[in-house]
Amino acid sequence: FKFDSTLKNTINSDEQNNITEPSATANTYYVATNGSNSNSGTSINSPYLTIQKALNSAGAGSTIYIKAGFYK
């Protein structure tokens, strides 16, 4: 990776005003072998059953905790 110092000032003030924050989709999700995909997945007491369900629910910046076990 090579840093090009000529690029550091290429965004003008109009472009800076158009930059938007990422949507607030970052959450924490839990998966366990005794969970259910009908659960909210947002609590250790209400985990999802499958990793895929957590992946489908997670947005950018989300965290997924997967309890030890065998997942199909």
Side-chain angles (χ1 to χ4, degrees), residues 28-54:
T28 300
Y29 297 96
Y30 298 86
V31 180
T33 56
N34 64 343
S36 169
N37 285 344
S38 298
N39 289 342
S40 68
T42 57
S43 162
I44 190 67
N45 296 318
S46 186
Y48 288 138
L49 175 62
T50 64
I51 297 168
Q52 187 63 57
K53 176 68 175 180

